[in-house]
Amino acid sequence: MPFVKDFKPQALKDTNMFKPMKIGNTEVQHRAVMPPLTRMRATHPGNVPNKDWAVEYYNQRSQRPGTMIITEGAFTCPQAGGYDNAPGIWSDEQVAEWKKIFKAIHDNKSFVWVQLWVLGRQSFADTLARDGLRYDSASDDLYMDEEQEARAKKANNPQHGITKAEIKEYIDAYVKAAKNSIAAGADGVEIHSANGYLLNQFLDPISNKRTDEYGGSIENRSRFTLEVVDAVSAAIGPERTGVRFSPYGTFGTMSGGAEPLIVAQYAHVLGELEKRAKAGKQLAFVHLVEPRVTNPFLTEGQGEYNDGTNDFAYSIWTGPIIRAGNYALHPEIAREHVKDNRTLIGYGRFFIANPDLVDRLEKGLPLNKYDRDTFYKMSDEGYLDYPTYEEALKQGYDA
C-alpha cells in the first residue's frame, strides 16, 4: 500500500496531544488512543483470540510507551455474541490468550482496556439458533431490516425483547467479564453502549418500544446502561471503568440526529455519570463517536452529520473524554479539539494501517493507506504486515 495521497500531515508535537494525562490508575504519555477495532481473527469454536497473530498485532501498536489501547470488542458470554470470529472473555481458554496480549502491551509500558461487547439484534439469528441461543434486543419483532427479519424467521429464532430476569443475567455477565479482564492484567474495561449494539438498542427510541421501567421515557431507556455501569464499577472500581456512546450514530438503524431529543437522551446519561462522579465514583473516561462518522462501514466523508456536535458533553461531564471519528485525515480538527485539556483522540482505521501512528502524528509524517478488504480477513495479511514509516521508505512507499 502507498502513502495516503492528497493529504497534508501536521506535526502535533507541540500540542496537548503529547502531554501526559491521568486516566483511571494510569498516566498516558500522549492523548492519541487506539480505539476498539473489530478484526475478526479469533478462532471458532470458542471465540478465542488468535493464538498466532493477536499478541504481535497488539505488540506492534503499543510500541510507543504510555499509549492507551482499547481492545477490539470482547463478548461477555455466549449469549452476547453470534459472530464466530470475534473474541470473548468468559472462558479460561480465552482469558489465557488475553493474558499474553496484555503482557505484551505492558512490556511496552503501554496500557490496555478491554471493550465489553454485547450484540443484541446486530447478531445473526441463525448463528445464535445453531448454538441454542436467543436473538435478543430491547423489544420483540422490531427488526433492523428485512434481511435480518427473514433470517430470524427462517431460523425459527424471532427477535426477543429480553425480560427483566434476562437483563440481570446480562449485567452479571458484564461483571464476570470485567473481573476476568482485570484478573488477566487489563488496566480497565470500556462498556460498549454505542453503534447500535444491545445497550444502544435500549437507549434509542427506534429499537426500544418497551412499556416497563426500561422503555418509554429518556430516564427509562437509560436504565440498562446505567445499571451495567454501576455493577461493573462496583465490581472492579469506577477508575477502571469507561463507557462508549455514539449520539449521532445511525449504524444498526439507530436514530442519530433525526431524533429531536437525541442530545437530551445522552445529556441525561452523562448527567447521571456526573452525579456518580460527584459522589466519589467517577469513571475513568467517556468515549464519544463523532458525528463525522455516523456509520463505521462508510468511507471517510460519507454519511457525515453536520448539524450536531458532541461539544454538549463538556458542559455536563467533567472527566476525560475520548473523541473518535475521522481525525487522522483532519489533523487541524485534532489540533483544535486537544486544546481542551480533558480531551483524548481515538484513531481507528489509520492505527490499523500505521503501527507507529503515534510517532507519525508527533512528527507530521505521511500515513500508510489502509486496505479495507483485509479489515476482517482471516489472515495475517492486512493485520501484521503494515510497515512502520522507516520500513515503508525502504519498501519504496514515497516513490
Side-chain angles (χ1 to χ4, degrees):
M1 302 297 292
F3 291 136
V4 177
K5 302 289 186 222
D6 304 320
F7 163 65
K8 189 166 173 47
Q10 290 185 19
L12 299 175
K13 178 166 63 107
D14 297 327
T15 70
N16 279 347
M17 186 75 81
F18 287 90
K19 288 185 179 162
M21 182 178 187
K22 197 164 184 341
I23 300 292
N25 296 328
T26 71
E27 187 173 61
V28 298
Q29 294 305 300
H30 58 83
R31 317 290 178 88
V33 176
M34 178 170 151
L37 296 161
T38 296
R39 302 305 310 277
M40 295 298 186
R41 262 70 170 188
T43 51
H44 175 77
N47 297 94
V48 180
N50 194 289
K51 294 178 181 179
D52 297 319
W53 309 323
V55 171
E56 179 56 22
Y57 171 75
Y58 284 101
N59 174 54
Q60 288 176 357
R61 283 153 189 79
S62 58
Q63 288 286 324
R64 177 69 176 250
T67 298
M68 181 178 181
I69 305 279
I70 306 175
T71 72
E72 63 205 284
F75 298 139
T76 58
C77 61
Q79 181 63 65
Y83 299 164
D84 286 344
N85 296 112
I89 194 159
W90 72 80
S91 75
D92 291 345
E93 189 181 6
Q94 293 161 353
V95 169
E97 288 308 309
W98 283 117
K99 272 186 184 171
K100 297 174 195 171
I101 292 167
F102 301 161
K103 182 179 184 302
I105 293 168
H106 284 149
D107 283 351
N108 291 330
K109 296 187 170 53
S110 287
F111 309 107
V112 58
W113 299 69
V114 180
Q115 190 190 61
L116 304 182
W117 196 21
V118 179
L119 297 179
R121 69 178 190 171
Q122 292 248 43
S123 188
F124 299 127
D126 45 1
T127 303
L128 293 164
R130 177 199 71 194
D131 296 337
L133 299 166
R134 303 181 308 267
Y135 183 43
D136 285 350
S137 186
S139 300
D140 292 325
D141 297 321
L142 205 57
Y143 296 94
M144 286 194 300
D145 53 44
E146 289 177 2
E147 182 191 349
Q148 291 290 73
E149 183 174 5
R151 209 165 175 160
K153 288 179 175 171
K154 187 176 178 187
N156 195 28
N157 195 13
Q159 188 174 304
H160 166 68
I162 55 177
T163 66
K164 287 188 248 187
E166 289 158 356
I167 287 172
K168 296 288 183 286
E169 289 170 6
Y170 271 115
I171 293 170
D172 289 345
Y174 274 106
V175 167
K176 180 172 186 267
K179 287 180 171 177
N180 284 350
S181 301
I182 301 305
D187 296 291
V189 302
E190 173 181 278
I191 296 162
H192 195 356
S193 188
N195 293 352
Y197 298 107
L198 185 66
L199 293 179
N200 197 174
Q201 290 157 33
F202 271 73
L203 286 170
D204 201 287
I206 279 182
S207 44
N208 185 344
K209 303 296 184 190
R210 298 173 75 99
T211 56
D212 64 2
E213 64 264 43
Y214 290 94
S217 68
I218 281 172
E219 292 81 3
N220 284 356
R221 291 202 308 268
S222 305
R223 193 180 307 277
F224 189 10
T225 291
L226 292 170
E227 286 180 349
V228 172
V229 166
D230 288 343
V232 169
S233 294
I236 64 170
E239 74 283 358
R240 292 191 177 95
T241 306
V243 61
R244 190 181 214 207
F245 301 112
S246 53
Y248 300 98
T250 58
F251 184 59
T253 64
M254 296 291 96
S255 297
E259 166 56 48
L261 296 178
I262 207 69
V263 169
Q265 176 69 63
Y266 287 93
H268 172 72
V269 177
L270 291 168
E272 286 295 314
L273 298 180
E274 182 63 17
K275 270 190 214 168
R276 287 155 174 75
K278 284 187 163 52
K281 297 177 181 176
Q282 182 173 308
L283 299 190
F285 63 88
V286 164
H287 188 172
L288 302 175
V289 181
E290 290 295 296
R292 278 191 306 285
V293 180
T294 56
N295 181 330
F297 284 89
L298 297 177
T299 55
E300 284 86 1
Q302 289 184 346
E304 289 186 359
Y305 181 72
N306 296 314
D307 295 327
T309 169
N310 284 329
D311 291 352
F312 74 91
Y314 286 82
S315 64
I316 305 165
W317 163 256
T318 58
I321 295 179
I322 303 171
R323 304 180 78 153
N326 194 11
Y327 278 98
L329 299 181
H330 290 284
E332 73 285 356
I333 299 176
R335 177 184 292 276
E336 194 60 32
H337 282 179
V338 295
K339 285 179 181 175
D340 184 287
N341 201 36
R342 293 187 283 136
T343 302
L344 304 93
I345 304 291
Y347 293 90
R349 300 165 190 178
F350 284 95
F351 228 133
I352 289 174
N354 298 267
D356 59 339
L357 179 68
V358 180
D359 294 344
R360 301 197 199 203
L361 295 173
E362 183 178 40
K363 297 169 187 169
L365 299 173
L367 300 175
N368 302 340
K369 277 180 77 171
Y370 58 75
D371 177 13
R372 180 182 285 278
D373 291 343
T374 57
F375 277 0
Y376 308 117
K377 185 178 178 183
M378 183 51 98
S379 164
D380 60 355
E381 181 192 357
Y383 193 61
L384 301 182
D385 56 354
Y386 283 109
T388 63
Y389 180 68
E390 298 302 327
E391 291 164 346
L393 291 180
K394 287 177 189 165
Q395 292 174 26
Y397 269 45
D398 63 339

